[in-house]
Short mmCIF file of all heavy atoms in Angstrom, two decimals:
data_model
loop_
_atom_site.label_atom_id
_atom_site.label_comp_id
_atom_site.label_asym_id
_atom_site.label_seq_id
_atom_site.Cartn_x
_atom_site.Cartn_y
_atom_site.Cartn_z
N SER A 61 -13.08 -4.71 -9.73
CA SER A 61 -13.88 -3.47 -9.57
C SER A 61 -14.72 -3.25 -10.82
O SER A 61 -14.41 -3.72 -11.92
CB SER A 61 -12.99 -2.25 -9.23
OG SER A 61 -12.12 -1.96 -10.30
N GLY A 62 -15.82 -2.61 -10.63
CA GLY A 62 -16.77 -2.40 -11.73
C GLY A 62 -17.63 -3.61 -11.93
O GLY A 62 -17.80 -4.47 -11.03
N GLU A 63 -18.22 -3.65 -13.11
CA GLU A 63 -19.14 -4.72 -13.42
C GLU A 63 -18.96 -5.19 -14.88
O GLU A 63 -18.81 -4.31 -15.72
CB GLU A 63 -20.59 -4.18 -13.27
CG GLU A 63 -21.71 -5.17 -13.31
CD GLU A 63 -23.05 -4.58 -12.96
OE1 GLU A 63 -23.34 -4.43 -11.76
OE2 GLU A 63 -23.83 -4.25 -13.85
N ALA A 64 -18.94 -6.48 -15.04
CA ALA A 64 -18.69 -7.06 -16.36
C ALA A 64 -19.96 -7.55 -17.00
O ALA A 64 -20.78 -8.18 -16.31
CB ALA A 64 -17.68 -8.15 -16.29
N GLU A 65 -20.13 -7.31 -18.27
CA GLU A 65 -21.19 -7.99 -18.98
C GLU A 65 -20.42 -8.93 -19.89
O GLU A 65 -19.68 -8.54 -20.78
CB GLU A 65 -22.01 -7.02 -19.83
CG GLU A 65 -23.14 -7.70 -20.54
CD GLU A 65 -23.84 -6.80 -21.55
OE1 GLU A 65 -24.65 -5.95 -21.21
OE2 GLU A 65 -23.45 -6.97 -22.75
N VAL A 66 -20.72 -10.20 -19.71
CA VAL A 66 -19.93 -11.23 -20.44
C VAL A 66 -20.84 -11.98 -21.42
O VAL A 66 -21.90 -12.53 -21.00
CB VAL A 66 -19.28 -12.25 -19.46
CG1 VAL A 66 -18.35 -13.19 -20.27
CG2 VAL A 66 -18.58 -11.53 -18.39
N GLN A 67 -20.47 -11.99 -22.72
CA GLN A 67 -21.16 -12.72 -23.73
C GLN A 67 -20.40 -14.02 -23.98
O GLN A 67 -19.18 -14.01 -24.29
CB GLN A 67 -21.26 -11.92 -24.99
CG GLN A 67 -22.06 -10.62 -24.81
CD GLN A 67 -22.08 -9.73 -26.05
OE1 GLN A 67 -21.14 -9.85 -26.87
NE2 GLN A 67 -23.02 -8.85 -26.15
N ALA A 68 -21.06 -15.09 -23.81
CA ALA A 68 -20.39 -16.45 -24.03
C ALA A 68 -21.48 -17.49 -24.32
O ALA A 68 -22.52 -17.48 -23.70
CB ALA A 68 -19.58 -16.84 -22.84
N SER A 69 -21.23 -18.36 -25.29
CA SER A 69 -22.12 -19.43 -25.62
C SER A 69 -23.56 -19.00 -25.75
O SER A 69 -24.53 -19.63 -25.27
CB SER A 69 -22.03 -20.54 -24.46
OG SER A 69 -20.71 -21.04 -24.42
N GLY A 70 -23.79 -17.90 -26.42
CA GLY A 70 -25.10 -17.45 -26.76
C GLY A 70 -25.85 -16.76 -25.65
O GLY A 70 -27.02 -16.43 -25.86
N ALA A 71 -25.24 -16.59 -24.53
CA ALA A 71 -25.94 -15.95 -23.37
C ALA A 71 -25.13 -14.69 -22.94
O ALA A 71 -23.96 -14.55 -23.24
CB ALA A 71 -26.04 -16.93 -22.23
N THR A 72 -25.80 -13.84 -22.23
CA THR A 72 -25.16 -12.64 -21.68
C THR A 72 -25.38 -12.66 -20.15
O THR A 72 -26.47 -12.88 -19.64
CB THR A 72 -25.86 -11.38 -22.24
OG1 THR A 72 -25.63 -11.39 -23.71
CG2 THR A 72 -25.21 -10.17 -21.68
N HIS A 73 -24.23 -12.52 -19.45
CA HIS A 73 -24.25 -12.53 -17.98
C HIS A 73 -23.71 -11.26 -17.45
O HIS A 73 -22.69 -10.79 -17.91
CB HIS A 73 -23.39 -13.68 -17.50
CG HIS A 73 -23.70 -15.03 -18.08
ND1 HIS A 73 -24.56 -15.90 -17.54
CD2 HIS A 73 -23.24 -15.66 -19.23
CE1 HIS A 73 -24.67 -17.00 -18.31
NE2 HIS A 73 -23.83 -16.86 -19.33
N VAL A 74 -24.29 -10.79 -16.38
CA VAL A 74 -23.66 -9.67 -15.65
C VAL A 74 -22.95 -10.26 -14.42
O VAL A 74 -23.50 -11.04 -13.64
CB VAL A 74 -24.78 -8.65 -15.19
CG1 VAL A 74 -24.17 -7.61 -14.29
CG2 VAL A 74 -25.46 -8.05 -16.40
N VAL A 75 -21.68 -9.83 -14.33
CA VAL A 75 -20.82 -10.30 -13.26
C VAL A 75 -20.37 -9.10 -12.43
O VAL A 75 -19.69 -8.22 -12.98
CB VAL A 75 -19.66 -11.11 -13.76
CG1 VAL A 75 -18.86 -11.76 -12.61
CG2 VAL A 75 -20.10 -12.16 -14.77
N THR A 76 -20.69 -9.13 -11.14
CA THR A 76 -20.45 -7.99 -10.33
C THR A 76 -19.12 -8.13 -9.48
O THR A 76 -18.56 -9.23 -9.46
CB THR A 76 -21.61 -7.69 -9.34
OG1 THR A 76 -21.76 -8.85 -8.53
CG2 THR A 76 -22.90 -7.51 -10.13
N GLN A 77 -18.74 -7.04 -8.90
CA GLN A 77 -17.54 -7.04 -8.10
C GLN A 77 -17.53 -8.16 -7.10
O GLN A 77 -18.49 -8.32 -6.34
CB GLN A 77 -17.34 -5.68 -7.41
CG GLN A 77 -15.98 -5.57 -6.69
CD GLN A 77 -15.90 -4.29 -5.88
OE1 GLN A 77 -16.69 -3.39 -6.08
NE2 GLN A 77 -14.96 -4.19 -4.99
N GLY A 78 -16.46 -8.93 -7.03
CA GLY A 78 -16.31 -10.07 -6.11
C GLY A 78 -16.79 -11.31 -6.67
O GLY A 78 -16.44 -12.40 -6.14
N GLN A 79 -17.64 -11.32 -7.70
CA GLN A 79 -18.01 -12.57 -8.38
C GLN A 79 -16.91 -13.00 -9.31
O GLN A 79 -16.05 -12.24 -9.80
CB GLN A 79 -19.30 -12.41 -9.11
CG GLN A 79 -20.54 -12.22 -8.26
CD GLN A 79 -21.84 -12.13 -9.09
OE1 GLN A 79 -21.81 -11.63 -10.18
NE2 GLN A 79 -22.92 -12.58 -8.51
N ALA A 80 -16.94 -14.27 -9.70
CA ALA A 80 -16.02 -14.82 -10.61
C ALA A 80 -16.76 -15.55 -11.79
O ALA A 80 -17.92 -15.90 -11.57
CB ALA A 80 -15.06 -15.81 -9.92
N PHE A 81 -16.13 -15.68 -12.94
CA PHE A 81 -16.75 -16.46 -14.00
C PHE A 81 -15.70 -17.40 -14.62
O PHE A 81 -14.55 -17.02 -14.75
CB PHE A 81 -17.43 -15.64 -14.99
CG PHE A 81 -16.62 -14.56 -15.70
CD1 PHE A 81 -16.07 -14.78 -17.01
CD2 PHE A 81 -16.42 -13.31 -15.13
CE1 PHE A 81 -15.37 -13.78 -17.62
CE2 PHE A 81 -15.69 -12.33 -15.79
CZ PHE A 81 -15.13 -12.57 -17.03
N LEU A 82 -16.13 -18.58 -14.89
CA LEU A 82 -15.27 -19.65 -15.36
C LEU A 82 -15.66 -19.97 -16.81
O LEU A 82 -16.84 -20.27 -17.08
CB LEU A 82 -15.40 -20.90 -14.53
CG LEU A 82 -14.64 -22.08 -14.87
CD1 LEU A 82 -13.09 -21.87 -14.76
CD2 LEU A 82 -15.01 -23.30 -13.96
N LEU A 83 -14.70 -19.85 -17.73
CA LEU A 83 -14.92 -20.17 -19.12
C LEU A 83 -14.21 -21.45 -19.48
O LEU A 83 -13.11 -21.72 -19.05
CB LEU A 83 -14.36 -19.04 -20.00
CG LEU A 83 -15.10 -17.71 -19.88
CD1 LEU A 83 -14.23 -16.52 -20.27
CD2 LEU A 83 -16.36 -17.69 -20.72
N GLU A 84 -14.86 -22.25 -20.26
CA GLU A 84 -14.30 -23.50 -20.76
C GLU A 84 -13.24 -23.18 -21.83
O GLU A 84 -13.25 -22.16 -22.44
CB GLU A 84 -15.40 -24.37 -21.41
CG GLU A 84 -16.40 -24.88 -20.38
CD GLU A 84 -15.75 -25.68 -19.32
OE1 GLU A 84 -14.99 -26.60 -19.60
OE2 GLU A 84 -16.02 -25.41 -18.12
N GLY A 85 -12.37 -24.15 -21.99
CA GLY A 85 -11.40 -24.02 -23.11
C GLY A 85 -12.13 -23.90 -24.43
O GLY A 85 -13.19 -24.59 -24.63
N GLN A 86 -11.71 -22.99 -25.26
CA GLN A 86 -12.31 -22.78 -26.59
C GLN A 86 -13.70 -22.11 -26.52
O GLN A 86 -14.34 -21.97 -27.57
CB GLN A 86 -12.42 -24.05 -27.45
CG GLN A 86 -11.04 -24.69 -27.76
CD GLN A 86 -10.09 -23.86 -28.59
OE1 GLN A 86 -10.45 -22.68 -28.94
NE2 GLN A 86 -8.90 -24.35 -28.82
N GLU A 87 -14.11 -21.71 -25.40
CA GLU A 87 -15.41 -20.98 -25.29
C GLU A 87 -15.22 -19.51 -25.66
O GLU A 87 -14.50 -18.77 -24.92
CB GLU A 87 -16.01 -21.12 -23.86
CG GLU A 87 -17.41 -20.59 -23.76
CD GLU A 87 -18.08 -20.83 -22.40
OE1 GLU A 87 -17.40 -21.33 -21.51
OE2 GLU A 87 -19.32 -20.52 -22.30
N ALA A 88 -15.79 -19.09 -26.75
CA ALA A 88 -15.64 -17.70 -27.21
C ALA A 88 -16.34 -16.79 -26.24
O ALA A 88 -17.37 -17.11 -25.71
CB ALA A 88 -16.22 -17.56 -28.60
N HIS A 89 -15.72 -15.68 -25.96
CA HIS A 89 -16.30 -14.73 -25.01
C HIS A 89 -15.90 -13.29 -25.29
O HIS A 89 -14.86 -13.03 -25.91
CB HIS A 89 -15.84 -15.09 -23.56
CG HIS A 89 -14.32 -15.25 -23.45
ND1 HIS A 89 -13.64 -16.38 -23.93
CD2 HIS A 89 -13.38 -14.46 -22.94
CE1 HIS A 89 -12.35 -16.19 -23.67
NE2 HIS A 89 -12.15 -15.03 -23.09
N ARG A 90 -16.81 -12.41 -24.91
CA ARG A 90 -16.50 -11.00 -25.08
C ARG A 90 -17.01 -10.31 -23.83
O ARG A 90 -18.06 -10.55 -23.31
CB ARG A 90 -17.22 -10.44 -26.32
CG ARG A 90 -16.75 -9.08 -26.61
CD ARG A 90 -16.95 -8.63 -28.07
NE ARG A 90 -16.15 -7.42 -28.31
CZ ARG A 90 -16.59 -6.37 -28.92
NH1 ARG A 90 -17.82 -6.31 -29.45
NH2 ARG A 90 -15.80 -5.29 -29.11
N VAL A 91 -16.16 -9.43 -23.29
CA VAL A 91 -16.41 -8.71 -22.07
C VAL A 91 -16.69 -7.26 -22.30
O VAL A 91 -15.82 -6.60 -22.86
CB VAL A 91 -15.24 -8.89 -21.00
CG1 VAL A 91 -15.51 -8.10 -19.73
CG2 VAL A 91 -15.05 -10.41 -20.72
N HIS A 92 -17.87 -6.82 -21.92
CA HIS A 92 -18.18 -5.40 -22.05
C HIS A 92 -18.25 -4.68 -20.73
O HIS A 92 -18.62 -5.29 -19.69
CB HIS A 92 -19.61 -5.24 -22.70
CG HIS A 92 -19.74 -5.74 -24.10
ND1 HIS A 92 -19.69 -4.91 -25.16
CD2 HIS A 92 -19.98 -6.97 -24.56
CE1 HIS A 92 -19.84 -5.62 -26.28
NE2 HIS A 92 -19.98 -6.87 -25.95
N ASN A 93 -17.90 -3.41 -20.75
CA ASN A 93 -18.14 -2.56 -19.58
C ASN A 93 -19.23 -1.60 -19.96
O ASN A 93 -19.04 -0.58 -20.68
CB ASN A 93 -16.87 -1.84 -19.18
CG ASN A 93 -17.07 -0.92 -18.01
OD1 ASN A 93 -18.15 -0.85 -17.47
ND2 ASN A 93 -15.98 -0.24 -17.61
N ARG A 94 -20.42 -1.83 -19.48
CA ARG A 94 -21.56 -1.01 -19.88
C ARG A 94 -21.72 0.28 -19.03
O ARG A 94 -22.59 1.08 -19.25
CB ARG A 94 -22.87 -1.76 -19.73
CG ARG A 94 -22.90 -2.97 -20.62
CD ARG A 94 -22.95 -2.68 -22.06
NE ARG A 94 -23.23 -3.88 -22.96
CZ ARG A 94 -23.07 -3.90 -24.23
NH1 ARG A 94 -22.61 -2.84 -24.90
NH2 ARG A 94 -23.34 -4.97 -24.90
N SER A 95 -20.85 0.42 -18.02
CA SER A 95 -20.94 1.64 -17.17
C SER A 95 -20.49 2.83 -17.94
O SER A 95 -19.51 2.81 -18.67
CB SER A 95 -19.99 1.46 -15.97
OG SER A 95 -19.91 2.73 -15.27
N PRO A 96 -21.24 3.93 -17.79
CA PRO A 96 -20.78 5.16 -18.43
C PRO A 96 -19.62 5.83 -17.70
O PRO A 96 -19.05 6.75 -18.22
CB PRO A 96 -22.02 6.08 -18.42
CG PRO A 96 -22.79 5.54 -17.24
CD PRO A 96 -22.52 4.08 -17.12
#
Side-chain angles (χ1 to χ4, degrees):
Chain A
S61 64
E63 189 171 280
E65 183 193 280
V66 187
Q67 298 173 339
S69 299
T72 298
H73 308 268
V74 173
V75 188
T76 60
Q77 186 186 343
Q79 290 183 329
F81 57 100
L82 179 64
L83 292 156
E84 294 301 309
Q86 299 298 359
E87 188 173 6
H89 52 284
R90 189 158 195 226
V91 176
H92 293 263
N93 179 1
R94 300 295 190 191
S95 169

